Amino acid sequence: MTLKEKCPILQFTDLGDERGKLVVIEGGQAIPFDIKRVFYIYDSDSTVVRGQHANKESEFVLINVAGKSKVRITDGREEYIVELNKPMMGVYLPKMIWKDMYDFSSDSVLLVLASTHYDGKEYIRNYDEYIDAMEKYKSSEERRV
Ligand code: TYD
């Protein structure tokens, strides 16, 4: 599976009408997990890089509900960059994906849906450590197939 297939762009359905737009995201339906946590990032700007970590347990969906930002996504082998610039689009990040969020517009509100409650211990914040962990993770994945 390519990185783009592992981390697909999600297009949400617009239930809006002449009164405005409405997007509904139900855990397990529009996204592939039950939502346990929601957080949002705003007041970042184009000089800031956030994220810079991978998560051993959490899956995420990132949505710019206002403004725009970019997400650089890698699994240590492939890399791709997504511009989040529409409230109706998101990107799904499974476990063990390294992400950097940057280039925030001044009006950016980046909404994050997570499959877990917060646990700082499941974060890998050192890239070399991530690459080592990925080698082990991939060989255990390959053994499972
Ligand atoms: P951090 O992981 O650096 O944010 P980002 O991924 O957006 O760059 O989190 C910043 C601080 O907030 C850090 O001290 C951990 C804390 N935090 C929580 O307590 N709960 C959460 O759900 C998140 C995402 C962060």
Side-chain angles (χ1 to χ4, degrees), residues 37 39 41 50-51 53 118 123 125:
R37 175 166 52 117
F39 56 96
I41 295 167
R50 301 199 60 123
H53 47 60
Y118 182 72
Y123 279 67
R125 293 183 180 273

Side-chain angles (χ1 to χ4, degrees), residues 110-136:
L110 178 60
L111 177 71
V112 182
L113 312 175
S115 64
T116 58
H117 292 298
Y118 182 72
D119 174 7
K121 294 195 290 296
E122 62 115 4
Y123 279 67
I124 304 176
R125 293 183 180 273
N126 176 293
Y127 191 72
D128 292 338
E129 199 184 304
Y130 168 68
I131 294 297
D132 287 350
M134 257 333 253
E135 289 310 317
K136 293 188 189 112

Side-chain angles (χ1 to χ4, degrees), residues 1-9 32-33 39 50-62 71-82 91-101 112 115 122-127 129-131 133-135 137-138 141:
M1 220 194 254
T2 66
L3 186 61
K4 282 189 184 178
E5 287 165 341
K6 276 194 262 179
C7 305
I9 304 288
F33 55 80
F39 56 96
R50 301 199 60 123
Q52 301 190 288
H53 47 60
N55 294 73
K56 293 180 196 164
E57 300 300 335
S58 301
E59 299 166 63
F60 299 101
V61 170
L62 276 57
V71 195
R72 187 184 305 109
I73 299 166
T74 183
D75 60 1
R77 289 186 192 167
E78 293 176 67
E79 174 183 294
Y80 94 104
I81 293 172
V82 178
V91 62
Y92 167 67
L93 303 179
K95 296 175 192 178
M96 290 300 281
I97 292 292
W98 186 275
K99 61 270 182 200
D100 302 324
M101 295 89 86
V112 182
S115 64
E122 62 115 4
Y123 279 67
I124 304 176
R125 293 183 180 273
N126 176 293
Y127 191 72
E129 199 184 304
Y130 168 68
I131 294 297
M134 257 333 253
E135 289 310 317
Y137 183 70
K138 277 190 182 131
E141 255 190 339

Side-chain angles (χ1 to χ4, degrees), residues 31-49:
I31 63 167
F33 55 80
D34 285 331
I35 300 161
K36 287 233 178 93
R37 175 166 52 117
V38 173
F39 56 96
Y40 43 93
I41 295 167
Y42 64 101
D43 255 357
S44 288
D45 63 29
S46 59
T47 66
V48 166
V49 182

